């Protein structure tokens, strides 16, 4: 494609974007972290290019017409857990672009075949009332425990999401300064399963809490990840929905970038990060254009960034070994999107069970849930213990149904379950229809109106489809890498790169495989913007949030 160099070409007629161009910073990947980094740096006065392989920006912030014609779904990110704390939502007035968050009190229900149901709500008191139907002791324990855990999240875990990572010994010394930190230290070395079973006695209560804690990839038996128990349970009680679909957030950030003078290049695949004298010199796009720069920020997974784009010969040997030893997620997701004649109505008589933001079904107890997760890790799916969660998106957002009035009553929903990338027994191409049938039969068992005659259409997105849509989510890894102690904190993706700056001069990383991790936290994008601004001696127009300042003063100073 080198015909772009020095001569006219049908696709190079825009004088403002020649085959060779100069930039202060080039950001690879217009997912949440790439958008956030570009927004901060562009407003700081840098000449920024944000380059995206797909035809639209947003990465996981995607809302598409996958149920054609007229029905839209947010296929990847729908439960936004850090809206309360993300600095970008405070530093930018995104409401002027129409960004609206919906935060239901009815966060989650778990339903059972016999008509029982249990709720997880934003208000601790409402959850306590629901749990008390099964165990007064568990209800009281939940109320006391969540009161303390919310303080842990508010004072420590949430603000530290946006502060550079520290060594384990440094964290231990910092958290010993007060009782809140000391309680967090007690949690850290335990497994999610140990914590839940030691605190609660009723099997249904344990099942509800453990599912919410482990939804995003925590191994229930993994020790050393206990801090995520408090974090995920609190945040799964505070999920937000982005009205109009998750892509609305991406669009809002995109407008901020362009208004600040930044440039967004979609449908532009980066095929090489150019090096000169051991330093970053620019990026080359698939059609031959070169964006020259001394600063490249990659939000892609480690292998794509370091081995495919930079090249193994251009990185230190120990860094190469670290990247080659990177472990991707233990499990992925399989999602069945549906259009039905009416929203799902679940068997419990309690109407709240059907109107919650997220409904868990398929598990009659914790043993079945653990068996399902064990099967997934082993590459198996068993209809007897397969379960997951569902959301009727159009119940919360009528914008997703754009059809003629005679069809406007129809509802868009999805069911999502943990699933292996390599599925035993023929793989997804062969077994996909079978799995879809299993899901629909199970859904109708718990929500009788979801029988096949009421299903208008379906679209199943398997772990393979996730990888096709987002190649940097190798093996369907939604977080770009497993959550295990040696891949968390200052070890994500390794000690050399967790601060976003890498040993390759001019190269920074800021994706889900970098501290603090995935799930649209916005931490990587925020932290890399800070680091690049500091390294370039650019004045930062933004300040840390009040929570970050309080956390720094309490735990990190002195």
């Amino acid at each position: 494609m080198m015909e772009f160099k020095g001569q006219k070409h049908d696709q190079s007629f825009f004088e403002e974007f020649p085959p060779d161009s100069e930039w202060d910073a080039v950001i690879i990947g217009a997912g949440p972290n790439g958008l956030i980094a570009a927004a901060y740096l562009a407003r700081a006065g840098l000449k920024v290019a944000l380059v995206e392989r797909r035809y639209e920006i947003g990465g996981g912030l995607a809302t598409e017409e996958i149920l054609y014609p007229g029905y839209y779904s947010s296929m990847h990110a729908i439960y936004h857990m850090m809206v309360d704390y993300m600095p970008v939502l405070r530093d930018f007035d995104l409401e002027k672009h129409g960004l609206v968050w919906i935060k239901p009190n009815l966060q989650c229900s778990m339903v059972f075949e016999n008509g029982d149901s249990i709720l997880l709500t934003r208000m601790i008191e409402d959850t306590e009332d629901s749990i008390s139907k099964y165990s007064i002791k568990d209800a009281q324990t939940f109320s006391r425990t969540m009161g303390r855990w919310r303080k842990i999240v508010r004072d420590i875990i949430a603000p530290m999401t946006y502060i550079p990572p520290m060594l384990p010994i440094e964290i231990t010394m910092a958290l010993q300064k007060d009782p809140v930190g000391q309680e967090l230290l007690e949690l850290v070395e335990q497994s999610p399963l140990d914590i839940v079973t030691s605190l609660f006695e009723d099997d249904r209560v344990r099942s509800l809490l453990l599912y919410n804690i482990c939804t995003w990839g925590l191994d229930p038996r993994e020790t050393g990840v206990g801090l995520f128990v408090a974090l995920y349970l609190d945040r799964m009680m505070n999920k937000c929905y982005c009205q109009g679909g998750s892509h609305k957030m991406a669009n809002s950030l995109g407008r901020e970038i362009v208004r600040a003078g930044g440039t967004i290049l979609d449908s532009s695949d980066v095929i090489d990060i150019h090096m000169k004298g051991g330093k970053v010199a620019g990026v080359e796009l698939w059609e031959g254009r070169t964006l020259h720069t001394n600063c490249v920020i990659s939000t892609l997974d480690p292998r794509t960034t370091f081995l495919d784009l930079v090249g193994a010969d251009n990185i230190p040997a120990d860094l190469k070994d670290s990247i080659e030893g990177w472990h991707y997620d233990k499990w992925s997701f399989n999602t069945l999107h549906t259009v039905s004649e009416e929203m799902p109505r679940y068997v419990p008589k309690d109407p709240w069970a059907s109107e919650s933001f997220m409904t868990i079904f398929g598990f009659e107890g914790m043993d079945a849930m653990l068996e399902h997760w064990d099967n997934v890790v082993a590459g198996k799916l068993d209809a007897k213990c397969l379960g997951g969660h569902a959301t009727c998106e159009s119940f919360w957002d009528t914008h997703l149904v754009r059809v003629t009035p005679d069809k406007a009553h129809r509802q868009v929903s999805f069911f999502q379950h943990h699933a292996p990338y390599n599925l035993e027994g023929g793989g997804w191409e062969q077994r996909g229809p079978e799995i879809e049938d299993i899901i629909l039969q199970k859904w109708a068992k718990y929500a009788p109106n979801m029988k096949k005659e009421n299903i208008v259409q379906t679209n199943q997105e398997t772990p393979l489809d996730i990888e096709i849509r987002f190649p940097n989510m190798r093996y369907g890894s939604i977080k770009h890498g497993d959550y295990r102690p040696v891949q968390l904190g200052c070890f994500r993706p390794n000690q050399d790169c967790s601060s976003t700056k890498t040993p390759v001069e001019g190269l920074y990383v800021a994706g889900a495989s970098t501290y603090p991790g995935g799930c649209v936290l916005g931490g990587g994008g925020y932290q890399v913007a800070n680091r690049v601004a500091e390294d370039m001696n650019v004045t930062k127009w933004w300040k840390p949030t009040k929570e970050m300042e309080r956390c720094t003063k309490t735990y990190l100073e002195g």
Side-chain angles (χ1 to χ4, degrees):
M1 305 298 286
M2 299 304 290
E3 65 268 27
F4 275 29
K5 306 291 186 181
Q7 57 181 299
K8 202 69 175 174
H9 187 280
D10 290 342
Q11 296 182 39
S12 63
F13 60 89
F14 291 108
E15 294 182 2
E16 65 269 29
F17 206 94
D20 290 274
S21 54
E22 300 287 340
W23 304 87
D24 293 325
V26 174
I27 301 170
I28 305 173
N33 288 303
L35 287 164
I36 290 170
Y40 277 102
L41 295 177
R43 186 180 285 190
L46 295 185
K47 185 181 179 183
V48 175
L50 177 60
V51 185
E52 169 58 40
R53 179 192 67 89
R54 299 190 74 222
Y55 61 90
E56 66 174 351
I57 62 173
L61 298 171
T63 306
E64 298 181 8
E65 192 179 8
I66 61 170
L67 296 157
Y68 182 84
Y71 303 97
Y72 292 74
S73 178
S74 295
M75 313 89 56
H76 192 72
I78 181 172
Y79 307 119
H80 296 269
M81 297 183 288
M82 293 298 281
V83 170
D84 298 332
Y85 296 105
M86 291 175 71
V88 69
L89 297 179
R90 305 185 187 186
D91 293 334
F92 292 86
D93 179 18
L94 300 183
E95 292 182 1
K96 67 186 176 186
H97 304 301
L99 184 64
V100 175
W101 298 102
I102 299 170
K103 190 175 186 179
N105 182 45
L106 295 174
Q107 287 282 316
C108 178
S109 65
M110 189 168 191
V111 300
F112 303 91
E113 286 186 57
N114 66 356
D116 285 346
S117 63
I118 186 168
L119 302 174
L120 187 69
T121 64
R122 180 167 52 85
M123 302 293 292
I124 293 177
E125 296 81 1
D126 289 336
T127 305
E128 181 182 3
D129 286 345
S130 184
I131 292 175
S132 68
K133 294 185 298 183
Y134 306 104
S135 171
I136 296 295
K137 179 182 177 182
D138 283 352
Q140 295 171 342
T141 299
F142 179 84
S143 181
R144 292 194 304 269
T145 302
M146 282 311 304
R148 299 195 309 273
W149 285 2
R150 281 196 166 171
K151 185 172 178 60
I152 287 174
V153 173
R154 184 191 68 215
D155 293 353
I156 304 174
I157 304 177
M160 281 192 175
T161 299
Y162 308 99
I163 296 172
M166 301 182 296
L167 293 171
I169 185 62
E170 295 173 334
I171 295 175
T172 300
M173 294 175 63
L175 295 183
Q176 287 175 344
K177 294 181 179 180
D178 75 356
V180 179
Q182 291 166 11
E183 182 171 2
L184 178 55
L185 285 175
E186 292 175 3
L187 288 174
V188 168
E189 293 307 317
Q190 301 179 65
S191 73
L193 183 60
D194 288 340
I195 294 173
V196 169
T197 54
S198 66
L199 286 173
F200 303 97
E201 60 183 16
D202 185 85
D203 190 56
R204 287 158 294 194
V205 175
R206 288 175 169 179
S207 299
L208 171 73
L209 301 182
L210 189 65
Y211 187 89
N212 276 274
I213 290 165
C214 295
T215 298
W216 307 116
L218 282 192
D219 184 330
R221 300 183 182 89
E222 181 82 71
T223 58
V225 296
L227 71 91
F228 286 97
V229 174
L231 174 65
Y232 278 149
L233 191 53
D234 175 64
R235 292 297 87 202
M236 289 296 278
M237 295 172 67
N238 287 276
K239 304 183 299 296
C240 290
Y241 176 83
C242 186
Q243 189 178 47
S246 295
H247 191 63
K248 194 79 173 183
M249 181 181 179
N251 276 340
S252 300
L253 287 168
R255 291 189 180 100
E256 289 293 327
I257 294 166
V258 173
R259 286 188 177 189
T263 299
I264 300 175
L265 302 174
D266 55 17
S267 300
S268 297
D269 198 7
V270 174
I271 62 170
D272 188 61
I273 294 177
H274 285 186
M275 303 291 295
K276 186 176 181 180
K279 304 177 182 179
V280 162
V283 304
E284 182 178 348
L285 307 184
W286 68 273
E287 78 278 11
R289 287 190 176 95
T290 299
L291 282 60
H292 301 278
T293 182
N294 295 323
C295 173
V296 171
I297 300 170
S298 174
T299 64
L300 309 183
D301 68 288
R303 292 188 185 181
T304 301
T305 298
F306 292 102
L307 302 184
D308 296 345
L309 297 181
V310 175
D313 294 339
N314 294 314
I315 62 176
D318 57 344
L319 178 58
K320 175 176 176 290
D321 292 341
S322 172
I323 301 305
E324 289 179 340
W326 182 251
H327 291 271
Y328 287 90
D329 297 12
K330 293 184 181 74
W331 58 50
S332 182
F333 279 124
N334 181 53
T335 307
L336 182 65
H337 301 269
T338 67
V339 176
S340 58
E341 292 293 346
E342 55 186 10
M343 69 177 290
R345 294 291 178 187
Y346 295 94
V347 289
K349 295 179 181 179
D350 185 348
W352 282 17
S354 294
E355 296 177 2
S356 63
F357 190 8
M358 184 177 97
T359 302
I360 304 165
F361 63 85
F363 305 117
E364 290 300 303
M366 194 172 67
D367 287 345
M369 187 186 302
L370 292 171
E371 183 180 356
H372 170 63
W373 286 335
D374 289 342
N375 283 340
V376 170
V377 173
K380 304 174 183 178
L381 288 177
D382 185 342
K384 296 194 300 293
C385 59
L386 187 148
H389 59 270
T391 288
C392 181
E393 294 176 84
S394 53
F395 176 74
W396 302 100
D397 191 354
T398 57
H399 297 86
L400 302 179
V401 178
R402 305 176 190 178
V403 293
T404 55
D406 61 310
K407 299 176 181 177
H409 64 281
R410 292 175 175 170
Q411 302 291 324
V412 175
S413 304
F414 69 80
F415 173 79
Q416 189 170 69
H417 65 92
H418 299 102
Y421 177 81
N422 294 307
L423 178 59
E424 185 181 89
W428 285 102
E429 290 187 2
Q430 181 176 327
R431 295 193 60 196
E434 170 202 344
I435 301 302
E436 178 172 331
D437 285 341
I438 291 172
I439 292 171
L440 290 175
Q441 290 174 24
K442 183 149 291 194
W443 207 339
K445 187 176 183 180
Y446 287 87
N449 67 333
M450 290 297 283
K451 52 192 175 183
K452 284 192 174 182
E453 51 264 39
N454 285 336
I455 305 295
V456 178
Q457 61 174 297
T458 63
N459 187 332
Q460 186 170 221
E461 182 159 282
T462 72
L464 274 65
D465 296 320
I466 292 175
E467 186 182 50
I468 292 170
R469 188 186 299 276
F470 304 114
N472 56 312
M473 293 185 183
R474 294 176 185 241
Y475 314 109
S477 298
I478 62 168
K479 305 184 306 299
H480 295 191
D482 197 26
Y483 277 9
R484 54 180 64 190
V486 294
Q487 290 189 177
L488 292 171
C490 68
F491 304 112
R492 190 166 187 88
N494 51 59
Q495 284 188 275
D496 292 328
C497 305
S498 61
S499 67
T500 73
K501 188 172 184 177
T502 78
V504 179
E505 188 169 344
L507 178 65
Y508 300 79
V509 289
S513 54
T514 306
Y515 177 83
C519 297
V520 195
L521 305 176
Y526 181 79
Q527 292 200 38
V528 78
N530 278 277
R531 187 61 186 261
V532 169
E534 292 164 4
D535 289 352
M536 290 188 173
N537 294 316
V538 173
T539 300
K540 290 192 280 187
W541 56 267
W542 63 94
K543 296 181 180 179
T545 65
K546 291 180 179 179
E547 292 88 350
M548 293 167 62
E549 290 178 337
R550 183 170 60 244
C551 177
T552 299
K553 184 177 181 179
T554 303
Y555 297 101
L556 307 183
E557 292 181 350

